[in-house]
Amino acid sequence: MEITFDKSTGTVTECDKTVTEATIPAEIDGTAVKQIGQNAFSGCRELATVKLPEGLTRIANGAFDYTKITAISVPATVTYTDYYAFARAESLEDINVAEGNNTYCSKDGVVFDKDMTMLKRYPPGKVCDKYTVPSGVTRIYEGAFSYSKNASEI
């Protein structure tokens, strides 16, 4: 796998568009990987598997657009995920947040804030005719259901 990395910011900025799986290391050339940059994997149409490292703190807008990933695990160290980071990953059915994350949590592959009062991201490829928002959720983040074609009733 070939990726482009900005050492000054610790950001993965781009990858080889033919990649089918990606394991992002915790460090590249001695520099900690802190961010997956805007559109970094966008257009990697054959990308089906991604492993993100502990230590990662940000996942930017469009990071995984137009990929074939079906599930992704968000490390406990991630404190910011743009709500469009996975929006156009149309095969994505599950976003699982690691236990110990102080910002986010997940339930049944859907991402919430840590207190489960705000639904942050419903995976666009999740197959579910009717989704019931858990009790206690008082807000749904703008764009949380964007590009979700399989949830016909919420």
Side-chain angles (χ1 to χ4, degrees):
M1 171 188 71
E2 185 175 319
I3 61 173
T4 305
F5 182 67
D6 182 342
K7 286 180 79 168
S8 68
T9 62
T11 304
V12 172
T13 58
E14 192 176 6
C15 89
D16 173 7
K17 298 300 183 203
T18 63
V19 68
T20 58
E21 60 183 60
T23 298
I24 309 302
E27 288 187 356
I28 297 175
D29 295 331
T31 301
V33 174
K34 293 291 183 189
Q35 303 180 62
I36 304 297
Q38 183 170 343
N39 300 319
F41 290 89
S42 180
C44 296
R45 296 193 184 273
E46 299 305 312
L47 180 62
T49 306
V50 176
K51 184 167 180 1
L52 301 174
E54 283 297 326
L56 187 72
T57 59
R58 268 178 94 86
I59 304 173
N61 182 34
F64 295 99
D65 282 357
Y66 308 109
T67 62
K68 287 185 176 179
I69 57 175
T70 57
I72 193 162
S73 294
V74 176
T77 52
V78 170
T79 58
Y80 177 80
T81 300
D82 189 279
Y83 63 95
Y84 283 112
F86 307 106
R88 292 183 185 100
E90 294 179 352
S91 298
L92 185 60
E93 297 177 17
D94 291 296
I95 305 169
N96 299 300
V97 178
E99 287 194 32
N101 187 299
N102 292 323
T103 306
Y104 303 110
C105 67
S106 58
K107 180 178 181 181
D108 300 325
V110 179
V111 179
F112 300 87
D113 67 343
K114 185 64 176 176
D115 299 327
M116 291 229 16
T117 58
M118 183 188 314
L119 190 152
K120 299 285 280 183
R121 166 50 64 200
Y122 184 89
K126 189 166 194 65
V127 178
C128 177
D129 291 333
K130 181 179 180 181
Y131 179 71
T132 303
V133 176
S135 63
V137 172
T138 57
R139 293 181 13 186
I140 297 176
Y141 202 69
E142 175 187 348
F145 287 90
S146 61
Y147 301 97
S148 297
K149 297 178 183 175
N150 296 318
S152 58
E153 187 178 334
I154 300 168

